[in-house]
Amino acid sequence: MPSSPDLYSPLAAWFANHRRALPWREEGTSAWGVLVSEIMSQQTPVARVAEPWRTWMKRWPTPQALARADSAEVLRAWGSLGYPRRALRLHECARTVEREHGGELPVGVEALVALPGIGDYTAAAVASFAQGQRACVLDTNIRRVLTRVLDAKAAPSAHVTKRDRARFEKLLPVEVEHSRIWNEGVMELGALVCRARNPMCEACPLSEHCAWLQAGRPGLGERTTRPQSYEGSDRQIRGRILKTLREGGAATVGTLENASGADSERFVRLLTDLLAEGLISRTASGEITLGAGTHKEEHVHAR
DNA sequence: AATCCGGGGTG
DNA sequence: CACCCAGGATT
């Protein structure tokens, strides 16, 4: 039985020469800073995250600082990164760290995944990149690279199966430092070379071991899932409402309805959803503002 | 397992 | 215009 090929050595050598100088990779970045970068990068390309991350970390360097912030400020600082509920969860995460962990980000996947907004990927990434832990990081890049190398398929399955996790975990080096380099390096390879659309196999350090390349790169342009159209979607309407509030402060319901471009019934439904999620609130004078508002008002109404 | 949740950049 | 992006929560 042949021993499995050494993927680590060529990968590590490649990574040493192609590692991007992302701001959160600078010496001295806290685990909290890495966590913030991971949340911001969920479904948002890292190139778009770099600047907002700098500004954010300068303003709120620690969980304590963010915990003290108002949710409206947090949402405004989030800007157009998308999926603003991530900002609310990061805010909640900071408050949980403050309240339950003495202001110190807990160490390890199990403790991290229990925090708001942190799932399997983000917990493993923070543990591996910033906490000296050996954790198996599975993001869209790593899953695509390993699916190609091992399974000769162009794209990974829709979600992480137990079987995939078990197989990919076997490739993770035992030594902690090597496991971090493996995670970062394979992720970087997926972002720069083994890309979803135009993979540069001629520049790939794993090309000799890649089952997909040897099979002739089958299924490269295949459609996987139905493209969920954005134009005219609830997401677009919600986005317009929040953008109006970010840029203009408080607004009347009428102003927001006009800006939303939705019919009245749909607008009311979406506004109700946004209120329930804490993305907006209603002031005493009946205007709509960004953020969850204060609990004081609820007491006033409760009387 | 399927859906929902933004927004911008790219071929 | 379709596809993609360092995913997570909810049902």
Side-chain angles (χ1 to χ4, degrees):
Chain A
M1 174 169 159
S3 62
S4 50
D6 173 25
L7 301 179
Y8 175 79
S9 297
L11 185 276
W14 175 87
F15 184 50
N17 289 324
H18 296 87
R19 182 176 184 272
R20 287 173 294 179
L22 300 171
W24 47 88
R25 284 178 172 170
E26 285 174 15
E27 196 66 27
T29 302
S30 66
W32 177 255
V34 172
L35 171 57
V36 172
S37 80
E38 295 300 341
I39 303 277
M40 287 183 171
S41 300
Q42 290 167 1
Q43 299 296 287
T44 301
V46 294
R48 272 179 59 201
V49 168
E51 281 314 305
W53 181 84
R54 284 185 218 273
T55 307
W56 185 287
M57 292 306 294
K58 192 171 178 184
R59 184 171 184 184
W60 299 302
T62 64
Q64 293 95 323
L66 184 60
R68 276 184 250 110
D70 182 80
S71 71
E73 304 173 49
V74 169
L75 287 169
R76 198 162 281 116
W78 194 258
S80 62
L81 281 173
Y83 293 150
R85 54 172 59 167
R86 291 182 295 162
L88 292 186
R89 297 208 169 111
L90 179 56
H91 192 208
E92 274 313 302
C93 180
R95 291 186 165 174
T96 303
V97 168
E98 169 85 356
R99 179 169 16 92
E100 298 180 9
H101 300 281
E104 201 74 20
L105 190 65
V107 175
V109 169
E110 191 178 353
L112 290 169
V113 82
L115 295 168
I118 302 186
D120 290 337
Y121 161 72
T122 302
V126 170
S128 177
F129 302 161
Q131 297 186 323
Q133 303 285 300
R134 181 179 177 275
C136 182
V137 176
L138 296 182
D139 79 318
T140 185
N141 288 309
I142 294 181
R143 299 204 312 120
R144 182 176 56 252
V145 171
L146 298 184
T147 297
R148 286 175 176 174
V149 170
L150 297 183
D151 301 337
K153 295 195 309 185
S157 54
H159 67 279
V160 180
T161 65
K162 290 194 172 187
R163 176 172 169 271
D164 282 346
R165 177 168 289 280
R167 291 159 60 227
F168 297 163
E169 241 168 67
K170 284 183 187 165
L171 299 178
L172 188 67
V174 173
E175 201 273 320
V176 174
E177 175 74 0
H178 289 183
S179 70
R180 180 183 61 75
I181 292 171
W182 171 258
N183 286 327
E184 288 189 348
V186 178
M187 195 176 307
E188 198 80 334
L189 186 66
L192 300 180
V193 173
C194 191
R195 300 173 298 201
R197 276 190 264 189
N198 293 99
M200 304 191 302
C201 297
E202 61 290 347
C204 181
L206 304 183
S207 59
E208 293 176 30
H209 309 287
C210 182
W212 183 61
L213 178 59
Q214 284 165 22
R217 311 205 306 186
L220 188 50
E222 281 180 8
R223 287 180 178 36
T224 50
T225 54
R226 270 280 185 281
Q228 194 180 3
S229 70
Y230 180 62
E231 191 64 29
S233 65
D234 284 357
R235 302 225 296 266
Q236 185 183 40
I237 306 298
R238 288 166 56 107
R240 283 182 189 151
I241 293 170
L242 292 175
K243 180 180 170 67
T244 301
L245 292 171
R246 275 201 310 273
E247 296 174 352
T252 66
V253 172
T255 298
L256 289 177
E257 181 168 357
N258 287 336
S260 76
D263 63 71
S264 184
E265 187 181 355
R266 174 144 88 137
F267 172 75
V268 169
R269 174 173 62 81
L270 295 177
L271 207 62
T272 303
D273 290 347
L274 291 170
L275 276 164
E277 292 176 48
L279 284 162
I280 64 174
S281 56
R282 195 184 295 270
T283 68
S285 57
E287 287 191 311
I288 303 298
T289 62
L290 206 56
T294 64
H295 291 298
K296 271 188 189 173
E297 295 174 24
E298 293 176 18
H299 286 303
V300 170
H301 289 298
R303 288 223 219 166

